[in-house]
Amino acid sequence: SCYMERQADTFAIEITKDNEAAVSAFHKLSKHGIVIPDPDLIYKIWKYDHPPIKERIEFFRGYKPWQEGNSFKFQEYIDRKK
């Protein structure tokens, strides 16, 4: 589901703190025609179980809780890794 994918994206950014790597990866996917970067609303509602690439890239660019002094959503899982 889109919700679970957003959670996975959040965790990936929190554990790596590498937003630009995520942006680069998704740009490459959209560049090579593997996905539709910005589908219209009807297509998105009907067919998508993942957030569109454009939305994911926007999220990756903006989600930086460590820079804003905010706690991580998945801090307890990151702490277990140590």
Side-chain angles (χ1 to χ4, degrees):
S1 78
C2 287
Y3 174 79
M4 292 191 322
E5 284 300 314
R6 179 61 51 153
Q7 298 302 315
D9 290 345
T10 301
F11 182 73
I13 293 299
E14 288 183 356
I15 203 164
T16 65
K17 295 182 185 172
D18 195 347
N19 299 64
E20 285 309 308
V23 169
S24 175
F26 280 89
H27 267 299
K28 288 175 186 173
L29 286 172
S30 64
K31 181 179 175 183
H32 295 291
I34 297 171
V35 297
I36 301 169
D38 190 19
D40 65 52
L41 181 60
I42 299 298
Y43 188 83
K44 178 181 163 184
I45 291 169
W46 186 259
K47 296 291 262 177
Y48 271 47
D49 56 2
H50 287 58
I53 293 294
K54 182 178 177 185
E55 289 179 18
R56 292 175 94 172
I57 288 172
E58 289 170 359
F59 171 75
F60 293 141
R61 284 189 173 137
Y63 186 72
K64 299 176 184 178
W66 57 90
Q67 288 183 352
E68 300 161 0
N70 296 327
S71 60
F72 289 179
K73 185 171 187 175
F74 295 102
Q75 188 65 51
E76 67 179 284
Y77 302 105
I78 294 168
D79 290 341
R80 287 185 197 173
K81 180 182 170 244
K82 295 178 182 176

